[in-house]
Amino acid sequence: MIDQDFIEALKKGKRHAYEELIDRFQDMVFNKCLSFVPNKEDAEDIAQEIFIEVFRSIKHFKGQAKLTTWIYRITTNKCLEFIRKKNTKKRFAFFQLVLGTQHPVDKVSYFTEFNHPGVQLEQKEQSEHLFKAINQLPENQKVVFTLHKIDGLSYKEVSEITQKSISSVESLMFRAKKNLQLQLEQYYKNES
Amino acid sequence: MKEDHIKNKIENTINSIEFIEEVQASPFLKNKILNSINQEQESQHTVSSWLTPKLQLAALAIFVAINIAVFLKISEQQYSTEVDSFAAAYELTPESEETLFE
């Protein structure tokens, strides 16, 4: 339970409060980053950015949502921002490829190198396919699927983070599953 | 047969989520974050240390005073004289207009 005094100490910029905040949340933030960006180094960089954002905007935190939910929201936004930037770079790299530069095609198919420390070696290939398929989903479906299925949050928690109603979360989840199945089916059909 | 095989593969791929384990952040992450926050705090401090509210207010007062002084100094008459001389210099007056049909 996070008390008001702790939030006040954060707002005043107390160093001990920040140390406590990092101790409490660093594993959670790092794991959530990995759920969106399955690369250890990238996830660490994003985690760092998230805590700096928390530091910058804690004065605007009004306590309407739980601190955990608020940090989750920042985490989701920062991860999506990172993916968008990387995808734009990859698209640019693709054009470079079309225009005759030297990048091989497989390096432009996904926004990051798959390196998730929580994935066992025997599951690596399947997980890699899954993460690639998730990345192809529309952003709102991607967020809902990642938060619910990978991070294991309830629909209620997902609705609080995404600020959507539970019924729209359910509907997005249904469409995400359907789209994922279609994409994987297409992938495995092409493969065989 | 082939359809079933693909269905199985899809199911296994989606179920691979269950095998993802929680990991611990690097022990150096905390120090990295605290260093970045310190840098952020210092950069905020350097700006805020010399740009005090008193200085901000004084700068604003000077800015407003200069504006009022300039506004009062430039009368409308002066303005129209300046416009006339500008028009004369660039031959924009009705007298200086020439047409091909004259």
Side-chain angles (χ1 to χ4, degrees), chain A residues 101-187:
Chain A
T101 47
Q102 297 295 312
H103 297 281
V105 181
D106 60 343
K107 285 201 174 174
V108 294
S109 62
Y110 192 47
F111 69 89
T112 188
E113 187 193 336
F114 189 85
N115 172 23
H116 192 308
V119 171
Q120 290 159 357
L121 198 63
E122 58 268 31
Q123 298 290 329
K124 199 185 167 198
E125 206 185 324
Q126 282 177 332
S127 301
E128 203 171 341
H129 290 154
L130 182 68
F131 274 94
K132 279 183 184 176
I134 293 170
N135 190 48
Q136 301 298 315
L137 293 175
E139 206 168 84
N140 50 6
Q141 293 177 26
K142 187 194 299 180
V143 169
V144 168
F145 187 87
T146 306
L147 293 176
H148 179 62
K149 285 296 267 188
I150 303 179
D151 295 342
L153 300 181
S154 66
Y155 281 151
K156 189 174 176 285
E157 286 168 316
V158 176
S159 82
E160 280 169 4
I161 293 162
T162 56
Q163 293 174 304
K164 285 183 165 67
S165 69
I166 293 180
S167 57
S168 53
V169 169
E170 282 173 342
S171 139
L172 283 168
M173 191 63 203
F174 175 77
R175 276 184 278 159
K177 277 183 192 168
K178 210 174 166 187
N179 284 337
L180 265 184
Q181 278 175 337
L182 284 172
Q183 276 178 33
L184 290 170
E185 194 180 330
Q186 195 67 40
Y187 175 80

Side-chain angles (χ1 to χ4, degrees), chain A:
Chain A
M1 194 66 194
I2 290 147
D3 52 33
Q4 201 54 41
D5 293 343
F6 177 62
I7 293 167
E8 284 307 315
L10 284 173
K11 284 185 178 179
K12 283 177 187 161
K14 304 276 184 204
R15 191 182 163 90
H16 70 87
Y18 277 98
E19 286 192 23
E20 199 182 325
L21 181 91
I22 297 166
D23 285 337
R24 284 194 202 186
F25 289 100
Q26 66 172 346
D27 285 340
M28 181 205 93
V29 167
F30 180 59
N31 277 287
K32 303 314 161 210
C33 290
L34 279 172
S35 304
F36 281 99
V37 181
N39 179 291
K40 191 172 173 276
E41 285 76 28
D42 287 345
E44 275 189 6
D45 288 347
I46 303 167
Q48 206 174 321
E49 276 181 37
I50 290 162
F51 281 104
I52 294 169
E53 186 61 47
V54 169
F55 167 75
R56 278 185 197 142
S57 40
I58 189 75
K59 52 183 175 289
H60 304 300
F61 177 69
K62 290 176 186 133
Q64 285 160 337
K66 279 191 275 180
L67 186 66
T68 318
T69 311
W70 186 69
I71 293 176
Y72 242 124
R73 211 173 281 155
I74 294 175
T75 305
T76 309
N77 288 336
K78 281 280 169 195
C79 290
L80 292 176
E81 202 178 287
F82 178 88
I83 295 169
R84 268 184 234 129
K85 270 187 202 162
K86 281 276 182 168
N87 278 337
T88 315
K89 275 187 190 165
K90 291 286 170 189
R91 270 196 293 275
F92 180 67
F94 175 75
F95 283 120
Q96 280 188 322
L97 174 76
V98 171
L99 294 170
T101 47
Q102 297 295 312
H103 297 281
V105 181
D106 60 343
K107 285 201 174 174
V108 294
S109 62
Y110 192 47
F111 69 89
T112 188
E113 187 193 336
F114 189 85
N115 172 23
H116 192 308
V119 171
Q120 290 159 357
L121 198 63
E122 58 268 31
Q123 298 290 329
K124 199 185 167 198
E125 206 185 324
Q126 282 177 332
S127 301
E128 203 171 341
H129 290 154
L130 182 68
F131 274 94
K132 279 183 184 176
I134 293 170
N135 190 48
Q136 301 298 315
L137 293 175
E139 206 168 84
N140 50 6
Q141 293 177 26
K142 187 194 299 180
V143 169
V144 168
F145 187 87
T146 306
L147 293 176
H148 179 62
K149 285 296 267 188
I150 303 179
D151 295 342
L153 300 181
S154 66
Y155 281 151
K156 189 174 176 285
E157 286 168 316
V158 176
S159 82
E160 280 169 4
I161 293 162
T162 56
Q163 293 174 304
K164 285 183 165 67
S165 69
I166 293 180
S167 57
S168 53
V169 169
E170 282 173 342
S171 139
L172 283 168
M173 191 63 203
F174 175 77
R175 276 184 278 159
K177 277 183 192 168
K178 210 174 166 187
N179 284 337
L180 265 184
Q181 278 175 337
L182 284 172
Q183 276 178 33
L184 290 170
E185 194 180 330
Q186 195 67 40
Y187 175 80
Y188 286 123
K189 270 182 184 168
N190 289 341
E191 193 192 50
S192 57

